[in-house]
Amino acid sequence: MGVENGDVKIVNGHQETSNSQEANKSESNGSKTSGDDGGLINPADAENKEEQPIETVFQISVLLPHQPYKIQVPVSTQGQVQDLRSSIVEQPDTFQYTCFHLEHNGQRINDFTEMSDVEGLTAASEIRLVEDSYTEREARMHVVRIREIIGAAGDRVDALNGIDAGLSLHESIAPWTGLDTAPAAKQKSTNSKSSTDNNPLANFSFDGPPLMQTLLPPTPEPNHKTIKSLSVSPWNPPPPSFRQRGHLLYLQLTTNEGEQFQITSRVSGFFVNRSSNSKFDPLPKTSPKAAMAHSLLTLIQSLSPSFGESFRNLLEANNKRDALATFQLTSAIPSNPWLVSAPSSSAGAHQPDLTRTQETYLLSGVDNTETLRDWNEEIQSTRELPRETVQDRVLRERLLAKIYAEFNEAAAKGAVLVARDEVAPLNPTESKDAQIFVYNNIFYSFGADGVGTFTSEGGDEAARVAVGKDVAGVKAVNQLDIPGLATPGTIIVDYLGKRLVAQSIVPGIFKQREPDEPQVDYGGVEGKDVVADNDAFVPTFSQVSKALKVKKHPVWDKDGKKHVLEGSVETKGLLGTDGRKYILDLYRLTPLDVSWLDPYWTDSPCHGQKPEERNYPHRMSVLRPELVEAYWRIKMSDYVKAELDKRKNGQSSSSDVEGTGLATESVTGKTEVAKTNGTSAAEEDNGEITQDSGRIDISAFSLSFNPDVFCGQSPQTAEEKEEWANDERDVRALADHLHQKIIPELIHDFKEGEVGFPMDGQSLSDMMHKRGVNIRYVGKLASLAETGSPRLKALKILAEQEMIARAFKHVANRYVKNLPPAIMTACLAHLLNCLLGSELNKSPKPDFDEELRDLYSDADLSFEDVTPTSLRAEIEAQTQMRYRYTLEDSWMSSIKSNQLLREIALKLGLQLVAKDYQYRPVSEHPSEIANHLTNGAAAQPTTNGHVPNGVSSKKKKKQRGGDSSPSSVNASTVLEPPMTFIADDIVNVVPIVKDSSSKSVLAEEALEAGRISMMQKQKELGQELLLESLSLHEQIYGILHPEVARVYHQLGMLYYSLDEKEAAVELAHKAVVISERTIGIDSGETMLSYLNLSLFEHATGNTVVALACMRHALELWKIIWGSNHPDCITTFNNAAVMLQHMKLFHESRLWFEESYAISEQMSGKDSVNTATLAFQLAQALALDQDHKGAVNRMREAYSIFHHKLGPDDRNTKEADSWLDQLTVNAVSIAKHAKDLQAQKIRRAFFTPRVTLRTQPQAPVGQSSTEGMNGQPPRVSGGLDNRSIDELIKYIESSGDATKKTPTKKRKNPRSRRT
């Protein structure tokens, strides 16, 4: 089906196309637990829900002590007084206020009071702002804020955020301001030359190398300097005698005029004192330089004559920028680009800022104690907040999101310090891997088997995987949100080859218990040998088990004693000294993948070494929870259908209801069965499912899995052995379902285009995980894709690239892990040269300071012995061992170098200098250059400026489409062969963080309810619920958060489908900026958001802006994938249509031809897709005056339609009619050519033109409700059915794009499958 709005038709995609958005849908619907009034909102009951206080927004007056003395501020009755404070301090007229309180009717208002609780507050009320006395902390915070406001604060450098962290390129992509945003009819140019000059797609190269400069921000404009410097004075802190007199801080100010002032911060404000650099006298200075003010901002204004004007210029410059691009991220870790400006460039230059070193003191105090927090208590107390009403839930989830974001940031920063050996261990006598640390009240340990816990499971490899699974398990339990069950805050950080686990400290976890008392209260104490029982943990653990389909089962300790557990024996329960029940070690919530371990793992190596066919590195290969959930849904559906069949045959006595056609949908821990008419009918609270006129009892259905089978347990009795055998059979059936059903279906969907084709390794792994397929099966996907369609061959290339990148990551981590940071970049550069630069230099040598070799004499420098040959062997061995896939002999010469470099950088956290790296020698043969370009490597003249003796080329050429001519290198300056990478190219390494934060159940419930309402055609209710969901997302997460970006993205598509295009454009802009800053400037989601925005901008008449967005998206596409992605057909088609809209017919033809060529390659010459594109190309050729070509393409389209769809199909008849008309027209033009020239006929004979029925499509086939999900290419389906007379009128008219001739809708030929 298609939804047509205005001049854009959106083809419905499939439910399984998103790499991220559908994951939102499936993961965010948390389970309903006792004490939780949640559960999926039923739109039908939305109007009957519990009444909530009505929000009222009105303006109040705020009286100020200084000019302008009075301002108007909007307030909400549901907001708090602290929200009003925030609104006040963010206004330009009140920037100077930070230390104050508010009064109403002479009474002081508590900042944490809700506005509705302020007695007598109305729209006519006045609230007075009263300045307070400063404390030292408030004075420090005031200085920090004023420095930021006046632009005196330099870029902060910390261990977590890399270079250009949170960067957005949105503002530099298109001329957002100054454009004629009128309808397209007014925007069209008067002549083709001006239109061509205004074509953002001009000179775009389809097969050219990616432009790495695409990822760089524009050169920043010079800052508007308001002062030269503002820092803490060397006389700070105040001596005791002056502290007794109210002195708090001493500051030093240098104005733009060059004058220096020593300033005293006192409890009453700030004043200029008598001190100098050599003399201390902090008392107020007398005239003529005497000045005093409550705010430092006011004081600076009085001291510097030029400050006022420069400050106004700064505010004007800031106001021109998009606020979303400048706000500081507080609720999410910003994304770090993998390509950055060179440190020597103006954009990457380091600026002096004395106060940068003083910020720790300003923010945390002398003893750095103000930032120390009891993270565990904050997390648990927040989780225990009331959740009875919607307002309670909003506040609780908002605080949870905030505390988890702050914990994740603090834990990641501490992990970086631990990895750099900046933190002393608690047990320094232990081995390195066994050491533990406490920093900032957070507990750290390495993801390695330091104490031998995982010796039988695979040692360090098993431990590394286990901590990753543990974080995923904690996240799953957090999503369940079970009252009475606590989980510690947990993240893992991969940095410098090490994996660290950071956890909030559980009270009592370090407590030494009595000798006969187990260290944990429930589950395995020492592996499987000692098992603890505690009935107090059963109620909460049983809720986890029920929700995650874990079977209650017995286990046996070393003495053969039986213990019945609700979860895996590895899952532990600990009763903290705070009285809370904690669940720990959640790395085995699902069963082992026995179908993988049986052939590829053995724990009894022969002569100390495992055979190659069974050398998988660890035994922690568990099945994914998505697979368990999908399998459970299938079995549940089978059970329901069986019950219905029994009713039909009169065999069921459990119910008296009849009905057919149930489809099941699972919500985490809940089951929803929907009627075939789409209405909601899920009721599982009483173990029953509504079906038509009654209920089906499902209490008899049970399916859960024992996670401890195949783990060495020893049942004792015959009954226990039989039960254990049944559990093993269930787990084997689950694993067989993965091999026999899930993986073949995934391959089929890739082949047929039923799902969007992945763009990079991240999107491929996301799609696999969504289906329940582990990444270890990527080798099997590549094997199944070896012989097949071009789409499958493209899948094989991507799968091989992902395996090589992951194998390189494991190899690099092994070499880097024990290296000092000073040598680490030389190691990584050498390994990259061996992998990607071996054709340029067949024997690369690592280059680092010999002084470091002597300094770190005990460092493991084995990376120096690595050669391209040995690295190749290591990568092949890793690929075979981890993915059971054998790379071809020629894989090193066939890799896409730039794309592989990107994958490696993202996986290792590298930030590289952005330039066109040279991977191969410069070739004199154009054919060889072209072959290298297809692999993503630009043919560059010299050596990227890198030669071992330090000689560098200062000029760097930008290439578009490989047009630049190579220049020669002065041979006399090159002493040794050049290298692709040097250590200085690796500018920074950032940590890779994986957290356990759960998603907001409330916000996702509202979003899902809105979707259901829209599907039920309840537009008004649906829009209300969707807006409520958007508001909840913003309230809970804050605006700058990945989940908010995804909801903007989805709502933008939805509003576009409702023909509210202006709102769609606004949402799409926000989605782009937030995606860039939180997900990545070149992530697949960001690229799709740009394509979304392009479509919406074109719909509102801004075609030039739309093409600029599309150009940027296509450049990103080349960086991510390269040329000719299987799903780029629709995007090329959209570009062609937009160019036609601008009357650029020749340029449009080129894009149609490229789209047609890719369709021939991917779908075959005889496919309906290709025929439809041939039809459109014929129209484009006619517009470009290529009448013979138009006839030939239309004949091809007709032949395919006739063969595939039959002579009676509408599309066949349309093509036949057009073919006849184009043929007659071509003959007539040839016949009248001489007459046209001789008689100078004023009006040229008609040449058929494509009509506006050729329309841009939603990128890669997405539906209006799903957003940009990477769907398969679906070409424009509406074949032109206007008459010749109507087309003549259109061509002879002004070409007003807003005028359309009503036509009968034509179905897309793509939808008529044969």
Side-chain angles (χ1 to χ4, degrees):
M1 293 182 63
V3 180
E4 191 166 319
N5 295 283
D7 63 347
V8 178
K9 181 179 180 184
I10 300 178
V11 181
N12 286 344
H14 299 267
Q15 291 296 323
E16 201 164 3
T17 58
S18 173
N19 300 330
S20 59
Q21 294 165 357
E22 287 294 317
N24 288 356
K25 180 177 176 181
S26 63
E27 293 176 10
S28 59
N29 296 322
S31 75
K32 189 168 185 177
T33 59
S34 59
D36 187 353
D37 69 334
L40 196 62
I41 296 175
N42 188 344
D45 299 331
E47 297 179 359
N48 300 325
K49 62 185 179 182
E50 177 185 355
E51 288 189 13
Q52 300 296 329
I54 300 175
E55 181 177 13
T56 304
V57 179
F58 54 88
Q59 296 272 350
I60 64 170
S61 299
V62 178
L63 304 181
L64 306 174
H66 309 290
Q67 286 186 345
Y69 300 112
K70 187 176 183 179
I71 60 172
Q72 298 290 321
V73 180
V75 296
S76 167
T77 54
Q78 291 189 6
Q80 292 185 334
V81 175
Q82 61 181 352
D83 298 326
L84 174 59
R85 285 181 61 101
S86 300
S87 300
I88 292 173
V89 299
E90 293 300 332
Q91 295 200 21
D93 291 330
T94 51
F95 275 154
Q96 68 265 35
Y97 300 109
T98 63
C99 185
F100 62 90
H101 70 268
L102 300 174
E103 293 182 355
H104 180 244
N105 294 334
Q107 299 294 320
R108 181 166 181 160
I109 307 173
N110 190 306
D111 290 343
F112 298 96
T113 303
E114 289 194 6
M115 297 301 299
S116 57
D117 294 336
V118 178
E119 186 176 353
L121 185 66
T122 63
S125 298
E126 291 184 343
I127 289 183
R128 182 176 299 278
L129 185 150
V130 181
E131 294 176 333
D132 283 338
S133 60
Y134 287 98
T135 63
E136 184 196 335
R137 181 180 183 279
E138 288 168 335
R140 288 189 277 105
M141 294 300 104
H142 183 82
V143 173
V144 171
R145 173 168 169 75
I146 296 303
R147 275 173 44 84
E148 291 176 348
I149 289 174
I150 65 177
D155 292 335
R156 290 172 181 162
V157 179
D158 60 42
L160 177 59
N161 298 326
I163 302 168
D164 289 337
L167 173 67
S168 173
L169 301 175
H170 171 265
E171 294 175 299
S172 62
I173 300 308
W176 306 111
T177 58
L179 276 176
D180 179 10
T181 56
K186 296 181 181 180
Q187 193 189 47
K188 69 183 184 66
S189 302
T190 56
N191 58 71
S192 61
K193 183 178 184 303
S194 63
S195 296
T196 303
D197 294 341
N198 204 25
N199 175 19
L201 292 181
N203 301 321
F204 179 81
S205 174
F206 294 107
D207 297 323
L211 298 177
M212 296 307 185
Q213 290 77 12
T214 303
L215 301 183
L216 292 183
T219 302
E221 297 180 0
N223 292 331
H224 296 274
K225 289 189 70 68
T226 56
I227 60 172
K228 287 188 176 180
S229 68
L230 174 63
S231 61
V232 177
S233 168
W235 299 113
N236 201 68
S241 60
F242 284 100
R243 181 172 294 278
Q244 298 298 327
R245 301 168 66 173
H247 290 202
L248 305 174
L249 294 173
Y250 298 132
L251 307 174
Q252 186 170 288
L253 167 71
T254 304
T255 66
N256 282 343
E257 292 79 13
E259 292 187 274
Q260 188 179 88
F261 298 93
Q262 300 284 340
I263 297 174
T264 296
S265 170
R266 195 167 179 267
V267 291
S268 59
F270 298 82
F271 61 82
V272 178
N273 64 37
R274 303 173 187 173
S275 297
S276 66
N277 290 334
S278 58
K279 176 186 175 183
F280 177 64
D281 186 357
L283 297 178
K285 195 171 187 178
T286 57
S287 298
K289 295 296 184 179
M292 180 179 293
H294 186 269
S295 170
L296 183 58
L297 182 65
T298 307
L299 180 65
I300 296 174
Q301 281 180 309
S302 65
L303 295 176
S304 174
S306 64
F307 177 82
E309 181 179 357
S310 59
F311 185 49
R312 283 191 297 272
N313 293 336
L314 176 65
L315 293 180
E316 290 175 3
N318 290 340
N319 290 336
K320 291 178 182 178
R321 298 199 60 191
D322 189 331
L324 291 179
T326 57
F327 284 163
Q328 184 176 353
L329 278 80
T330 58
S331 57
I333 295 176
S335 66
N336 294 292
W338 66 280
L339 288 178
V340 296
S341 301
S344 58
S345 66
S346 59
H350 194 50
Q351 301 298 328
D353 181 14
L354 177 62
T355 317
R356 186 187 292 121
T357 59
Q358 302 169 345
E359 277 198 341
T360 302
Y361 160 68
L362 290 173
L363 294 171
S364 307
V366 176
D367 299 324
N368 195 28
T369 57
E370 294 179 13
T371 57
L372 292 179
R373 302 162 63 175
D374 188 342
W375 294 106
N376 190 75
E377 181 59 32
E378 288 190 45
I379 291 173
Q380 308 310 331
S381 59
T382 304
R383 292 177 64 87
E384 293 167 356
L385 289 173
R387 59 180 92 179
E388 281 72 26
T389 66
V390 172
Q391 288 302 316
D392 288 343
R393 295 179 65 188
V394 170
L395 177 61
R396 178 177 178 271
E397 293 191 359
R398 178 181 179 182
L399 293 177
L400 272 176
K402 180 176 182 292
I403 185 62
Y404 273 119
E406 293 170 350
F407 170 78
N408 294 342
E409 181 180 5
K413 288 181 178 179
V416 169
L417 296 177
V418 171
R420 287 182 169 272
D421 295 330
E422 304 286 351
V423 180
L426 298 181
N427 52 343
T429 59
E430 301 285 345
S431 65
K432 184 73 174 178
D433 290 341
Q435 290 178 349
I436 57 176
F437 308 81
V438 172
Y439 180 81
N440 197 8
N441 279 340
I442 299 174
F443 172 72
Y444 295 94
S445 60
F446 289 106
D449 191 24
V451 295
T453 304
F454 295 94
T455 301
S456 61
E457 307 289 328
D460 288 346
E461 288 279 359
R464 184 182 180 91
V465 174
V467 295
K469 298 294 182 184
D470 182 40
V471 169
V474 173
K475 187 168 190 172
V477 173
N478 285 343
Q479 194 65 52
L480 298 178
D481 202 9
I482 297 174
L485 186 63
T487 57
T490 308
I491 69 167
I492 56 173
V493 178
D494 291 328
Y495 185 65
L496 302 183
K498 307 176 182 72
R499 170 162 286 187
L500 292 107
V501 188
Q503 294 178 304
S504 61
I505 301 175
V506 176
I509 196 168
F510 294 127
K511 178 183 177 182
Q512 292 294 327
R513 303 196 179 191
E514 298 296 328
D516 58 343
E517 187 180 5
Q519 287 297 111
V520 297
D521 299 288
Y522 190 79
V525 180
E526 300 172 4
K528 302 182 290 289
D529 294 340
V530 180
V531 180
D533 290 323
N534 191 326
D535 293 340
F537 285 85
V538 172
T540 51
F541 272 52
S542 65
Q543 294 182 58
V544 175
S545 300
K546 182 179 179 181
L548 300 179
K549 315 298 183 295
V550 178
K551 183 177 181 179
K552 183 177 181 179
H553 62 279
V555 296
W556 296 265
D557 58 22
K558 62 182 179 181
D559 298 326
K561 183 181 178 182
K562 178 179 177 181
H563 304 264
V564 178
L565 299 179
E566 290 287 347
S568 168
V569 69
E570 305 291 351
T571 302
K572 301 171 178 57
L574 177 67
L575 186 62
T577 54
D578 57 357
R580 297 185 179 101
K581 301 182 185 68
Y582 291 87
I583 184 170
L584 307 171
D585 293 347
L586 296 167
Y587 52 81
R588 191 170 285 171
L589 293 176
T590 54
L592 291 175
D593 185 0
V594 62
S595 62
W596 179 272
L597 292 176
D598 279 352
Y600 303 135
W601 162 266
T602 179
D603 53 4
S604 54
C606 301
H607 308 293
Q609 187 164 356
K610 297 181 181 181
E612 184 176 346
E613 65 275 8
R614 304 192 69 181
N615 65 342
Y616 194 67
H618 60 83
R619 200 174 185 273
M620 296 300 299
S621 303
V622 296
L623 297 168
R624 292 194 62 84
E626 296 91 342
L627 175 68
V628 174
E629 189 67 33
Y631 186 73
W632 185 91
R633 273 202 310 269
I634 291 173
K635 293 302 179 182
M636 176 67 177
S637 180
D638 293 342
Y639 173 81
V640 173
K641 290 175 182 177
E643 289 298 306
L644 291 175
D645 291 340
K646 288 181 181 179
R647 287 188 185 179
K648 287 181 180 180
N649 299 328
Q651 298 176 0
S652 175
S653 60
S654 62
S655 178
D656 299 327
V657 185
E658 297 181 358
T660 59
L662 288 182
T664 61
E665 284 187 10
S666 175
V667 180
T668 311
K670 295 284 295 177
T671 302
E672 178 179 357
V673 178
K675 298 180 185 178
T676 54
N677 62 5
T679 58
S680 176
E683 294 186 17
E684 197 184 338
D685 294 339
N686 299 320
E688 296 177 328
I689 295 181
T690 302
Q691 199 283 327
D692 290 343
S693 58
R695 299 175 183 274
I696 295 177
D697 184 4
I698 63 168
S699 59
F701 175 78
S702 176
L703 178 63
S704 54
F705 300 94
N706 183 345
D708 288 326
V709 294
F710 306 108
C711 293
Q713 291 291 330
S714 303
Q716 303 297 311
T717 66
E719 183 180 354
E720 292 170 351
K721 292 178 181 179
E722 181 180 359
E723 181 185 1
W724 203 258
N726 291 335
D727 291 345
E728 290 181 345
R729 185 170 59 250
D730 288 343
V731 170
R732 287 193 180 275
L734 178 62
D736 291 342
H737 178 73
L738 172 65
H739 286 264
Q740 299 170 10
K741 182 77 172 173
I742 300 298
I743 294 179
E745 282 184 353
L746 182 59
I747 289 291
H748 176 269
D749 290 346
F750 279 135
K751 179 181 178 181
E752 299 299 326
E754 299 297 332
V755 295
F757 201 88
M759 299 179 192
D760 58 1
Q762 182 63 49
S763 57
L764 174 62
S765 61
D766 286 345
M767 295 179 78
M768 292 175 64
H769 290 166
K770 180 171 173 278
R771 295 284 189 103
V773 182
N774 304 82
I775 198 65
R776 59 178 170 270
Y777 287 105
V778 68
K780 184 169 185 176
L781 290 184
S783 299
L784 294 175
E786 283 183 352
T787 57
S789 67
R791 289 178 66 89
L792 290 185
K793 292 179 181 177
L795 175 65
K796 177 191 173 186
I797 293 173
L798 178 60
E800 286 183 345
Q801 176 179 287
E802 179 68 3
M803 286 186 284
I804 293 169
R806 288 176 176 267
F808 180 87
K809 178 188 72 172
H810 288 290
V811 173
N813 282 342
R814 180 162 55 83
Y815 287 114
V816 171
K817 180 179 179 181
N818 296 317
L819 281 178
I823 303 178
M824 177 265 303
T825 54
C827 171
L828 290 174
H830 177 63
L831 294 178
L832 288 174
N833 281 323
C834 291
L835 176 66
L836 298 174
S838 59
E839 292 189 34
L840 183 67
N841 187 335
K842 298 186 180 301
S843 302
K845 300 294 182 183
D847 184 25
F848 62 94
D849 195 341
E850 288 297 324
E851 181 185 357
L852 296 177
R853 187 190 304 274
D854 299 333
L855 186 62
Y856 298 105
S857 57
D858 57 342
D860 180 8
L861 302 181
S862 58
F863 73 90
E864 292 184 292
D865 300 327
V866 177
T867 64
T869 302
S870 66
L871 180 62
R872 170 178 177 163
E874 286 190 81
I875 290 177
E876 290 174 351
Q878 289 285 331
T879 304
Q880 173 63 35
M881 178 177 65
R882 296 179 184 277
Y883 310 110
R884 299 295 143 180
Y885 185 79
T886 303
L887 293 169
E888 298 175 357
D889 293 339
S890 60
W891 67 267
M892 286 194 77
S893 60
S894 61
I895 56 178
K896 297 188 289 186
S897 302
N898 279 319
Q899 286 70 37
L900 182 58
L901 176 63
R902 174 180 178 271
E903 294 287 353
I904 290 171
L906 293 177
K907 286 175 171 55
L908 292 175
L910 307 183
Q911 289 191 296
L912 306 170
V913 173
K915 58 186 175 184
D916 295 323
Y917 290 99
Q918 181 188 350
Y919 304 106
R920 298 168 179 85
V922 175
S923 172
E924 297 181 358
H925 301 285
S927 60
E928 295 182 20
I929 296 177
N931 289 335
H932 292 165
L933 292 181
T934 58
N935 286 329
Q940 287 296 318
T942 60
T943 63
N944 302 322
H946 303 331
V947 288
N949 65 349
V951 178
S952 63
S953 170
K954 295 183 178 179
K955 291 186 178 180
K956 186 170 61 177
K957 295 190 176 183
K958 296 182 180 179
Q959 293 199 4
R960 288 182 177 268
D963 293 334
S964 300
S965 59
S967 59
S968 61
V969 184
N970 187 346
S972 63
T973 64
V974 181
L975 304 180
E976 295 182 25
M979 293 190 293
T980 304
F981 301 93
I982 61 172
D984 289 345
D985 287 334
I986 302 173
V987 184
N988 190 27
V989 181
V990 295
I992 307 298
V993 180
K994 298 178 182 178
D995 64 64
S996 59
S997 308
S998 60
K999 296 179 181 178
S1000 167
V1001 177
L1002 184 62
E1004 295 295 335
E1005 284 174 354
L1007 180 62
E1008 184 66 16
R1011 287 173 176 158
I1012 294 173
S1013 297
M1014 299 304 296
M1015 288 190 295
Q1016 296 174 350
K1017 309 301 182 185
Q1018 300 178 27
K1019 180 178 177 180
E1020 185 176 344
L1021 176 60
Q1023 284 184 292
E1024 180 183 346
L1025 287 168
L1026 290 171
L1027 288 175
E1028 180 182 350
S1029 170
L1030 178 59
S1031 175
L1032 289 171
H1033 274 86
E1034 292 176 340
Q1035 288 182 61
I1036 291 170
Y1037 294 116
I1039 295 182
L1040 296 175
H1041 192 278
E1043 294 302 318
V1044 178
R1046 292 170 184 133
V1047 102
Y1048 277 139
H1049 186 90
Q1050 297 176 56
L1051 291 184
M1053 278 303 296
L1054 185 59
Y1055 274 96
Y1056 178 74
S1057 70
L1058 297 174
D1059 208 25
E1060 297 186 22
K1061 296 173 183 175
E1062 296 294 339
V1065 167
E1066 181 182 354
L1067 290 167
H1069 276 287
K1070 292 181 179 179
V1072 163
V1073 178
I1074 301 172
S1075 294
E1076 285 184 320
R1077 300 197 66 195
T1078 61
I1079 304 175
I1081 57 175
D1082 65 338
S1083 70
E1085 290 184 61
T1086 299
M1087 192 209 76
L1088 292 175
S1089 293
Y1090 268 110
L1091 291 177
N1092 227 10
L1093 179 58
S1094 172
L1095 193 68
F1096 301 166
E1097 288 284 5
H1098 172 71
T1100 56
N1102 296 330
T1103 304
V1104 174
V1105 173
L1107 290 175
C1109 294
M1110 183 170 289
R1111 173 68 179 257
H1112 183 69
L1114 291 172
E1115 295 290 359
L1116 291 180
W1117 213 330
K1118 286 205 292 186
I1119 291 174
I1120 298 171
W1121 170 268
S1123 302
N1124 298 342
H1125 186 274
D1127 279 353
C1128 67
I1129 298 173
T1130 302
T1131 302
F1132 286 1
N1133 250 26
N1134 287 350
V1137 173
M1138 293 178 190
L1139 290 169
Q1140 280 185 353
H1141 185 82
M1142 298 175 65
K1143 308 303 180 188
L1144 300 176
F1145 299 124
H1146 179 70
E1147 290 78 3
S1148 173
R1149 163 190 176 169
L1150 299 179
W1151 286 84
F1152 272 126
E1153 287 176 340
E1154 188 69 19
S1155 178
Y1156 175 78
I1158 297 175
S1159 180
E1160 273 193 326
Q1161 178 186 349
M1162 293 296 167
S1163 303
K1165 284 190 173 183
D1166 298 330
S1167 69
V1168 175
N1169 260 357
T1170 304
T1172 308
L1173 287 168
F1175 186 99
Q1176 294 178 345
L1177 178 56
Q1179 294 175 322
L1181 291 170
L1183 283 170
D1184 199 32
Q1185 307 301 318
D1186 186 353
H1187 310 292
K1188 182 179 179 180
V1191 171
N1192 292 336
R1193 291 304 181 197
M1194 191 60 70
R1195 185 178 291 114
E1196 290 179 13
Y1198 169 75
S1199 299
I1200 297 172
F1201 285 148
H1202 187 275
H1203 176 69
K1204 295 286 186 179
L1205 305 178
D1208 298 328
D1209 186 82
R1210 291 180 181 178
N1211 299 297
T1212 307
K1213 294 179 179 179
E1214 289 284 349
D1216 188 27
S1217 174
W1218 270 89
L1219 180 59
D1220 291 342
Q1221 296 173 42
L1222 288 173
T1223 303
V1224 171
N1225 191 57
V1227 172
S1228 300
I1229 288 176
K1231 187 182 297 183
H1232 289 82
K1234 293 182 180 180
D1235 296 337
L1236 290 173
Q1237 183 178 5
Q1239 301 175 15
K1240 297 180 180 180
I1241 298 177
R1242 294 179 60 187
R1243 180 167 62 86
F1245 199 84
F1246 162 69
T1247 56
R1249 299 192 177 197
V1250 66
T1251 74
L1252 291 184
R1253 290 284 295 164
T1254 304
Q1255 299 155 352
Q1257 306 292 297
V1260 289
Q1262 69 190 4
S1263 72
S1264 59
T1265 57
E1266 293 170 342
M1268 316 284 288
N1269 296 337
Q1271 275 283 1
R1274 297 182 186 272
V1275 296
S1276 300
L1279 302 186
D1280 198 295
N1281 59 356
R1282 295 188 185 188
S1283 67
I1284 294 296
D1285 293 336
E1286 290 172 328
L1287 293 175
I1288 290 176
K1289 291 179 182 179
Y1290 165 71
I1291 294 170
E1292 293 179 340
S1293 67
S1294 62
D1296 190 342
T1298 61
K1299 296 180 181 179
K1300 303 179 179 64
T1301 302
T1303 58
K1304 187 175 181 180
K1305 292 184 181 178
R1306 298 289 183 183
K1307 291 187 177 180
N1308 188 345
R1310 176 74 174 85
S1311 64
R1312 296 188 179 89
R1313 300 173 181 262
T1314 57

